[in-house]
């Protein structure tokens, strides 16, 4: 087994007194696409926020490419090559489309992704490059959010519910672009409510339930029964 | 584990002890004219008035979220009203003090309507603008001495009491009475329905809104009441000083900076904080005031350090260490003593 | 003609007020911080200018070359060392900490420079004037106004056409996501404060050439700057310039009616605008 690119061990997360994660163990290998599923409030977004350094963690809980990143600031984690497409897109409203993309390159990592490459992936963005990011449709905004993360040329990219609030046809377009993104050897974590979609694009899957891992397995091996048990916690 | 074993209470042993000690203290202080010297009485009188100002500022900033750096507007206004009403209205100083409060409330209404449009920190600076308007405005009134101010005529001073000792005792008791009155009012207000609503707003504005609490009106009420009481304290302050000028009456340092230091050091958002803060402030002043500007720099540094390292001030530190509350506001759940399951 | 003159002089004075306001507006825009010590920092810059002119013998305007970077450095250190610790949901810490800072600065200046009023000597520049269409304009006020326009144009350009400006806007929009983009918000805030105090340095020097100053006048300068910001509308730098001009005109026209009425007239103009246009004349962001 190759060294995991991201290795999470016993991760706990808190919001004040409220505990959202209770010792999560998880790993992803280089070049792998991992899916994370789970009901609303299971802790998926919290997990992403912990990994990216937006929440503070205890030491030794998260290793990225062999380094302990548990206690780094979010900007330092980003510099190491970990990018996220956040839940709900969260573009910068006072920046244009192009500026939103350019700010993704702020980490200063070299690689295949630059403005031209993003425009090739999503041609519509070039047409709209000088518009305010808020003036785009939801699907176009999601493309900007994805492009913005790619501009950092990350080694691992995490997508938090990229299909949230989008029409099925748009979701199809976005997922169609996914192979083109991951081809270059990038690893990816996909958080998704649509279980079928998640299983289709990933090689392995984790299910979270109330802050704990309730299922782990190869995406083509897990059964519907296993998933619904892990998902809803009913026997 | 049955719920019946738990009891809910507002009172606590510490609070009862504090109430008794507090009452003894007040009685002792009332008798001060018989045992204290002239200088001590002046100092105590000043201390009481600062305590009153600090408690009022704390009610606004620590509970209602109205951080003002312009309370000198009402201190000065009250002072000037005392002079104007006694000199031109022929009122007895006591009546003038009461009326200064009423007038303070009246002018605070349009002021509030205006500056409540400013949010947060901009509200703070807005209050300062108002204080400047008052200062410049009163400096234009030549009947009150214009920019150089005026002194309270001896006849009016004598109308309080003919003998100096008696006058000083009277003004001391007034100051003590004002402090006790303000602290009691603040305490009772915070225990009332509106007061609890205020604490709810402070802790979570959104939740308070969804509970149907009219935030604007609650804050408005606090602002008007505080302004009225501040104006009365201002009248008392200048009854002690017997001289008023725009710069002294509307001094941001004297009536706001010191008050803020008192509250921050003692513990903002607690009733006990201003009391402790006032004691600490006067202790520092009496020992360091000779240092002049250095003393003020030290005060500023202490306030910043407290704000950053112990945002609830000295009282906050004491309270977390000993779980004390001398002015019980909230209810506490007391766990049964012999709870074997717990 | 007298009234036209008052309005023209007020407009030029407004340039100085816009310079007081620009730094305030900038840091509010980037990090929602309102710095109560802003006026005292302006006065401090004037004193730094005084020291530089006195010790090095430079012309006050040449002293800008030293005072601007010095103030910028002070701004960065102040932000990272102190003010960053106060940022968060709670409004009280930044407000009270900058209030404490104001008291410290004011008394520190008093300790070092005493309470005696001081003035910077700019030689012939102070009295030079140009005649224009029947009006006599002082070269210094005209220069001040031109500098104000240039500074605001430069700030605007920095905001919308540079990587730093992009970072300012991104952090202002969403601090968390900006961090994910590799921006350290503490550093970005430090840069914003450095820029703001650089502008403050210019304001302080021009103030110190124009009038005499002493350590106690900081509060007044803060208020003028604040009024210009609110009149112009939050988050709009050109609006801030307009706000400064309106304030300046109100003051000179007020002074024309009665010399004792100058400052009061400015405050009243501010309150009237607050009453009829609570969000200022040209608002861009909500407070
Ligand atoms: N800022 C916060 N403060 C307090 N609790 C929070 C906060 N954010 C999330 N939580 C709580 O943490 C738990 C996990 O939330 P999280 O957002 O990680 O869930 P999720 O799996 O991403 O859900 P969804 O599918 O709805 O996005 C929930 O119980 C949620 O209420
Ligand atoms: Mg989520």
């Amino acid at each position: 087994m190759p060294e995991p690119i991201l290795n999470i061990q016993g991760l706990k997360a808190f919001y004040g007194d409220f505990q959202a994660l209770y010792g999560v163990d998880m790993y992803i290998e280089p070049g792998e696409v991992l899916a994370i599923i789970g009901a609303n409030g299971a802790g998926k977004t919290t997990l992403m926020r912990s990994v990216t350094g937006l929440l503070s963690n205890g030491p030794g809980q998260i290793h990225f490419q062999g380094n302990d990143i548990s206690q780094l600031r979010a900007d330092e984690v980003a510099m190491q090559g970990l990018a996220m497409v956040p839940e709900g897109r969260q573009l910068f409203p006072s920046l244009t489309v192009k500026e939103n993309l350019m700010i993704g390159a702020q980490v200063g990592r070299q690689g295949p992704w630059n403005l031209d490459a993003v425009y090739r992936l999503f041609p519509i963005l070039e047409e709209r490059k000088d518009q305010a990011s808020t003036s785009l449709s939801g699907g176009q905004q999601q493309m900007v959010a994805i492009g913005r993360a790619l501009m950092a040329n990350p080694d691992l990219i995490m997508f938090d519910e990229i299909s949230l609030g989008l029409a099925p046809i748009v979701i199809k377009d976005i997922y169609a672009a996914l192979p083109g993104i991951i081809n270059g050897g990038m690893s990816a974590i996909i958080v998704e409510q649509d279980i079928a979609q998640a299983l289709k694009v990933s090689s392995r899957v984790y299910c979270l339930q109330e802050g704990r891992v309730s299922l782990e397995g190869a995406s083509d091996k897990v059964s519907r029964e296993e998933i619904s048990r892990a998902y809803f916690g009913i026997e | 584990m049955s719920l019946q074993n738990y009891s809910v209470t507002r009172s606590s042993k510490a609070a009862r002890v504090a109430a008794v000690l507090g009452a003894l203290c007040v009685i002792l202080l009332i008798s001060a004219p018989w045992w204290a010297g002239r200088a001590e009485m002046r100092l105590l009188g000043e201390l009481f008035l600062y305590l009153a100002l600090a408690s009022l500022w704390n009610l606004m900033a620590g509970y209602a979220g109205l951080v003002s750096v312009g309370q000198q507007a009402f201190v000065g206004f009250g002072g000037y009203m005392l002079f104007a009403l006694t000199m031109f209205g022929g009122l007895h100083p006591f009546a003038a003090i009461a009326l200064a409060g009423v007038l303070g409330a009246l002018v605070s209404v349009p002021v509030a309507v205006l500056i409540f449009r400013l949010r947060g920190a901009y509200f703070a600076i807005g209050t300062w603008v108002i204080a400047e308007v008052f200062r410049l405005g009163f400096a234009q009134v030549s009947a009150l001495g214009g920019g150089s101010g005026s002194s309270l005529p001896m006849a009016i001073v004598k109308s309080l009491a003919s003998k100096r000792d008696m006058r000083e005792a009277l003004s001391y008791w007034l100051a003590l009475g004002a402090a006790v009155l303000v602290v009691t009012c603040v305490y009772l207000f915070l225990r009332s329905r509106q007061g609890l609503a205020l604490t709810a707003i402070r802790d979570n504005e959104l939740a308070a809104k969804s509970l149907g609490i009219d935030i604007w009106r609650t804050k408005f009420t606090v602002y008007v009441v505080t302004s009225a009481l501040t104006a009365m304290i201002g009248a008392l302050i200048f009854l002690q000083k017997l001289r008023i000028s725009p710069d002294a009456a509307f001094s941001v340092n004297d009536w706001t900076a010191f008050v803020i230091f008192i509250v921050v050091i003692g513990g903002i958002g607690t009733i006990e904080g201003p009391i402790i803060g006032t004691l600490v402030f006067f202790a520092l002043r009496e020992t360091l005031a000779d240092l002049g500007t250095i003393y003020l720099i030290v005060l500023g540094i202490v306030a910043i350090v407290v704000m950053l390292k112990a945002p609830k001030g000295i009282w906050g530190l004491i309270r977390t260490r000993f779980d004390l509350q001398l002015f019980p506001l909230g209810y506490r759940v007391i766990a049964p003593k012999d709870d074997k399951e717990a | 003609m007298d009234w036209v003159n008052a309005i023209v002089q007020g407009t030029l004075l407004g340039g100085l007020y816009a310079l007081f306001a620009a730094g305030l507006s900038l840091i509010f825009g980037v990090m929602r911080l309102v710095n109560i010590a802003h006026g005292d920092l302006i006065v401090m810059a004037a004193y730094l200018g005084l020291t530089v002119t006195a010790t090095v013998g430079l012309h006050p305007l040449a002293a800008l070359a030293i005072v601007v970077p010095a103030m910028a450095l002070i701004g960065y250190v102040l932000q990272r060392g102190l003010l960053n610790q106060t940022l968060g949901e709670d409004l009280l810490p930044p407000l009270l900490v900058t209030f404490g800072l104001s008291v410290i600065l004011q008394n520190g200046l008093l300790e070092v420079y005493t309470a005696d009023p001081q003035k910077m000597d700019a030689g012939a520049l102070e009295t030079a004037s140009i005649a224009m269409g029947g009006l006599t304009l002082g070269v210094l006020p005209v220069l001040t106004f031109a500098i104000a326009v240039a500074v605001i144009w430069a700030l605007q350009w920095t905001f919308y056409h540079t990587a730093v400006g992009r970072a300012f806007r991104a952090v202002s929009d969403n601090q968390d996501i900006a961090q994910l983009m590799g921006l350290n918000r503490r550093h970005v805030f430090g840069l914003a404060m450095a820029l703001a105090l650089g502008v403050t340095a210019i304001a302080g020097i021009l103030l110190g050439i124009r009038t005499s100053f002493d350590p106690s006048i900081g509060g007044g300068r803060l208020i003028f700057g604040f009024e210009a910001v609110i009149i112009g509308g939050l988050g709009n730098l050109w609006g801030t310039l307009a706000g400064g001009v309106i304030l300046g005109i109100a003051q000179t026209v007020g002074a024309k009616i009665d010399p004792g009425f100058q400052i009061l007239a400015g405050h009243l103009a501010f309150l009237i605008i607050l009453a009829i246009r609570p969000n200022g004349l040209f608002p861009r962001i909500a407070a």
Side-chain angles (χ1 to χ4, degrees):
Chain A
M1 182 179 112
E3 180 78 12
I5 183 166
L6 179 72
N7 197 359
I8 301 170
Q9 290 161 311
L11 179 64
K12 299 188 174 78
F14 299 86
Y15 294 104
D17 291 338
F18 175 77
Q19 184 163 6
L21 296 180
Y22 297 84
V24 168
D25 295 319
M26 190 177 285
Y27 69 92
I28 170 171
E29 287 171 7
E32 191 183 19
V33 177
L34 186 74
I36 300 178
I37 57 174
N40 289 124
K44 306 179 297 292
T45 299
T46 304
L47 179 66
M48 309 272 107
R49 289 172 61 84
S50 283
V51 171
T52 52
L54 287 177
L55 293 176
S56 50
N57 310 303
Q61 296 180 350
I62 308 165
H63 287 83
F64 181 65
Q65 297 179 326
N67 304 322
D68 182 4
I69 60 162
S70 342
Q71 300 194 306
L72 296 184
R73 285 194 317 263
D75 54 301
E76 294 169 328
V77 172
M79 304 267 183
Q80 304 252 329
L82 209 159
M84 170 158 86
V85 181
E87 185 173 7
R89 307 184 272 276
Q90 311 223 37
L91 301 183
F92 298 108
S94 20
L95 271 57
T96 63
V97 168
K98 184 175 160 196
E99 286 177 323
N100 263 287
L101 293 174
M102 281 168 67
I103 209 144
Q106 196 85 30
V107 293
R109 291 169 54 90
Q110 300 304 313
W113 291 101
N114 51 32
L115 271 183
D116 286 338
V118 172
Y119 289 153
R120 268 199 303 280
L121 182 67
F122 301 121
I124 183 75
L125 296 188
E126 183 159 27
E127 279 171 41
R128 303 289 164 88
K129 65 182 192 312
D130 293 320
Q131 284 185 11
S133 53
T134 45
S135 69
L136 300 186
S137 75
Q140 292 163 348
Q141 289 191 22
Q142 192 59 270
M143 293 174 196
V144 178
I146 294 172
R148 185 177 65 176
L150 290 174
M151 291 287 286
N153 282 300
D155 297 322
L156 171 63
I157 186 167
M158 307 195 289
F159 300 93
D160 194 353
E161 304 207 23
I162 39 177
S163 46
L164 193 75
L166 301 183
I169 176 93
V170 180
I171 298 174
K172 220 178 118 232
D173 282 354
I174 293 212
Y175 271 98
L178 208 57
I181 295 170
I182 306 168
N183 260 345
M186 213 183 268
S187 319
I189 297 181
I190 291 176
V191 171
E192 188 51 81
Q193 291 278 358
D194 180 345
I195 299 170
Q197 185 69 267
L199 294 180
K200 203 163 80 192
V201 296
S202 62
S203 56
R204 277 191 316 124
V205 61
Y206 284 87
C207 185
L208 285 185
Q209 187 201 323
E210 289 177 4
R212 294 181 175 85
V213 172
S214 55
L215 176 73
E216 175 194 352
S219 300
D220 49 3
K221 300 269 165 44
V222 291
S223 69
R224 288 184 77 116
E225 292 70 40
E226 280 178 308
I227 287 181
S228 58
R229 208 180 309 133
Y231 204 91
F232 300 109
I234 38 179
E235 291 300 316
Chain B
M1 177 163 68
S2 99
L3 263 179
Q4 283 132 30
N5 293 337
Y6 285 82
S7 56
V8 175
T9 173
R10 210 169 206 173
S11 182
S12 71
K13 200 164 158 218
R16 283 189 295 271
V17 171
V20 171
L21 283 181
L24 286 176
C25 258
V26 170
I27 291 170
L28 189 68
L29 287 171
I30 290 175
S31 66
W34 286 279
W35 51 262
R38 185 164 270 160
E40 283 89 56
M41 267 175 46
R42 280 197 79 86
L43 185 67
L44 281 172
E46 201 188 345
L47 185 146
F48 297 145
L49 293 176
Y50 264 107
L51 169 58
L53 287 180
S55 295
L56 289 170
W57 189 84
N58 179 47
L59 175 66
M60 289 209 312
Y63 289 93
L66 296 167
V67 186
S68 163
V69 294
Q71 280 315 89
Q72 68 273 22
F74 294 100
V75 173
F77 177 83
Y80 266 104
M81 285 306 109
L82 170 76
F83 278 54
L85 293 171
T86 51
M87 284 158 69
F88 311 125
L91 259 58
H92 186 271
F94 286 178
I97 291 168
L99 199 52
V102 175
L103 294 173
L106 283 180
V107 295
S108 76
V109 169
V111 167
V113 169
L114 257 184
I115 58 173
F116 273 35
R117 297 165 168 228
L118 297 164
R119 304 244 116 243
Y122 280 118
F123 170 85
I125 309 181
T127 61
W128 198 349
V129 173
I130 296 292
E132 283 298 285
V133 170
F134 279 30
R135 180 174 71 83
L136 295 165
F138 278 105
Q140 295 282 311
V141 183
S142 48
L144 287 165
S148 47
S150 59
S151 297
L152 205 58
M154 213 45 213
I156 294 171
V157 180
K158 288 237 164 82
S159 75
L160 271 178
S162 50
K163 287 235 284 296
R164 181 167 171 202
D165 279 353
M166 194 56 208
R167 277 203 304 274
E168 288 188 345
L170 208 55
S171 121
Y172 168 86
W173 283 324
L174 281 174
L176 174 61
V180 173
L181 178 83
V182 165
V183 173
T184 314
C185 278
V186 169
Y187 173 54
L188 291 179
F189 175 75
L190 287 174
R191 275 180 74 139
S192 73
R193 221 189 84 81
Q194 270 216 326
L196 293 174
L198 203 60
T199 315
I201 295 172
R202 176 187 66 177
D203 296 339
N204 188 341
E205 187 147 329
L206 207 69
K209 241 182 217 152
S210 66
L211 287 174
I213 296 168
D214 186 342
I215 294 171
W216 194 93
R217 230 186 59 195
T218 311
K219 289 187 172 184
F220 179 81
T221 313
V222 170
Y223 187 80
V224 171
V225 171
T226 313
S227 302
L229 289 170
T230 305
M232 287 172 71
I233 306 294
L236 283 175
I237 288 174
F238 287 94
L239 183 63
Q240 277 191 351
K241 293 195 186 293
L242 301 180
R243 219 201 116 63
I244 200 163
S245 70
D247 288 344
F250 299 98
S251 160
V252 64
N253 270 334
D254 289 350
W255 314 128
T256 292
F258 291 161
V259 166
I260 292 182
F261 288 148
I262 288 174
V263 177
V264 168
I265 291 172
I268 192 164
T270 65
I271 296 183
E272 296 87 347
I275 301 176
I276 295 186
T278 308
L279 295 175
V280 172
F281 173 77
F282 274 82
L284 280 177
R285 197 180 84 171
E286 291 310 298
T287 47
L288 297 179
D290 294 342
L291 300 175
T293 53
I294 300 273
Y295 155 67
L296 292 169
I297 295 175
V298 170
L299 263 189
I301 293 173
V302 170
I304 289 180
V305 170
V306 169
M307 199 68 226
L308 292 178
K309 300 295 171 205
K312 285 282 169 224
I314 296 176
W315 181 250
L317 292 178
I318 297 176
R319 191 172 52 180
T320 42
R321 172 85 39 101
F322 303 107
D323 187 29
L324 272 181
Q325 196 176 21
L326 300 185
F327 290 88
L329 284 179
Y331 292 90
R332 304 147 47 104
V333 178
I334 312 283
K337 289 218 169 54
D338 49 350
D339 191 354
K340 292 187 186 72
E341 281 164 281
Chain C
M1 210 58 199
D2 271 6
W3 291 100
V4 176
N5 185 46
I7 289 173
V8 172
Q9 303 299 346
T11 307
L12 297 181
L13 179 61
L16 185 64
Y17 294 163
L19 284 173
F20 291 167
L24 211 54
S25 183
L26 180 97
I27 53 171
F28 182 80
V30 175
M31 49 192 144
R32 300 292 179 276
L33 174 77
V34 175
N35 181 4
I36 303 262
H38 187 74
D40 304 289
L41 289 162
I42 295 174
V43 178
M44 183 171 106
Y47 275 110
L48 282 184
L50 188 72
T51 301
V52 170
T53 49
T55 52
V56 190
L58 283 176
H59 187 273
L61 289 183
L64 282 173
I66 297 174
V67 179
V68 170
M71 287 298 290
L73 184 67
I74 291 171
Y76 187 83
V77 173
L78 185 67
Q79 186 66 38
R80 293 218 60 172
L82 179 68
L83 299 178
N84 272 338
Q85 294 179 51
T86 67
L87 295 175
E89 290 299 300
D90 193 357
L91 188 107
L92 274 171
L95 203 61
L96 298 184
V97 166
T98 56
F99 189 78
L101 187 64
S102 155
V103 172
I104 294 171
L105 282 176
Q106 194 175 326
N107 287 286
L109 290 174
L110 211 52
E111 189 67 24
V112 179
Y113 294 101
T114 76
D116 301 335
Q118 305 276 3
K119 208 180 148 308
M120 265 181 275
D121 182 11
L125 179 64
E126 290 180 29
T127 47
S129 63
I130 39 177
M132 241 172 66
L135 294 175
T136 316
L137 301 181
V139 169
L140 182 64
V142 172
L143 183 68
T144 303
F145 190 81
I147 291 177
V149 173
V151 163
I152 288 188
W153 178 84
L155 286 178
Q156 196 80 9
W157 186 82
T158 308
F159 246 71
Y160 289 99
H161 297 279
T162 66
V164 175
R166 200 164 60 216
F168 285 163
R169 282 179 289 143
V171 172
S172 163
D173 280 350
N174 189 332
Q175 295 186 16
D176 275 357
I177 304 297
Q179 294 262 111
L180 287 183
M181 303 296 131
L183 292 169
N184 178 5
R185 60 174 183 174
R186 296 177 173 275
H187 175 64
V188 174
F189 289 162
L191 293 179
M193 187 55 93
L195 188 58
L197 289 203
V199 173
T200 299
I202 300 174
I205 300 266
L206 290 172
L207 168 75
I209 299 174
R210 186 188 171 97
T211 56
S212 62
F213 54 93
D214 68 75
S216 72
I217 66 164
R221 304 321 102 174
L222 166 74
I223 288 179
F224 294 160
F226 157 77
E227 288 175 335
V229 170
I230 300 287
I231 292 175
L234 283 177
N236 182 345
L237 281 169
W238 288 117
T240 298
L241 179 63
V245 167
I246 290 171
L247 183 64
I249 292 176
Q251 288 190 359
T252 48
V253 169
K256 180 117 196 55
I257 297 167
D258 176 343
F261 197 55
Q262 176 181 356
I263 310 294
L264 194 55
H267 293 328
L268 292 178
F270 160 75
L271 292 176
I272 290 169
I273 288 173
L274 186 61
I276 52 180
R277 288 287 295 263
N279 291 324
L281 301 178
F282 318 99
R284 184 164 289 166
I285 44 175

